Amino acid sequence: EPFLHYYRDRDAKEIDLLIEGAGKLSPIEIKKTTNPDKRLTQVFSVIDKSPLELGTGAVLCMAEKFSAFDRDNLIVPIWLI
């Protein structure tokens, strides 16, 4: 079973959900928007200093269909979970 974490640092950078499993950290942002902006994934870089590998990131939102910003960051509609 993966471990679930919330991340916030002293600079107020936060990641809503970090899923730790199989030696990777997968960051998830949760937003109410139907059209998420790729800039939401910029905060994922704060975990680059982690000894664990950065896994696939995602923005969980109200989008109508599953898609991706790029090969490392997905757009996941809430109805899929």
Side-chain angles (χ1 to χ4, degrees), residues 11 42 53 70:
D11 296 323
Q42 289 177 345
E53 184 181 339
D70 53 42

Side-chain angles (χ1 to χ4, degrees), residues 6 8 10 14 22-23 26 30 33-34 38-39 48-49 52-53 62 72-73 75 78 81:
Y6 167 77
R8 182 178 172 100
R10 64 178 99 153
E14 67 177 28
S26 296
I30 303 168
T33 185
T34 57
K38 181 171 175 32
R39 289 178 289 186
D48 286 344
K49 298 174 188 168
L52 298 176
E53 184 181 339
M62 303 294 287
D72 298 319
N73 296 291
I75 299 169
I78 191 76
I81 62 168

Side-chain angles (χ1 to χ4, degrees), residues 19-48:
I19 302 173
E20 178 186 350
K24 294 183 179 184
L25 284 175
S26 296
I28 310 291
E29 277 295 308
I30 303 168
K31 301 296 178 192
K32 191 175 179 182
T33 185
T34 57
N35 297 308
D37 190 296
K38 181 171 175 32
R39 289 178 289 186
L40 293 170
T41 63
Q42 289 177 345
V43 71
F44 297 168
S45 66
V46 299
I47 58 176
D48 286 344

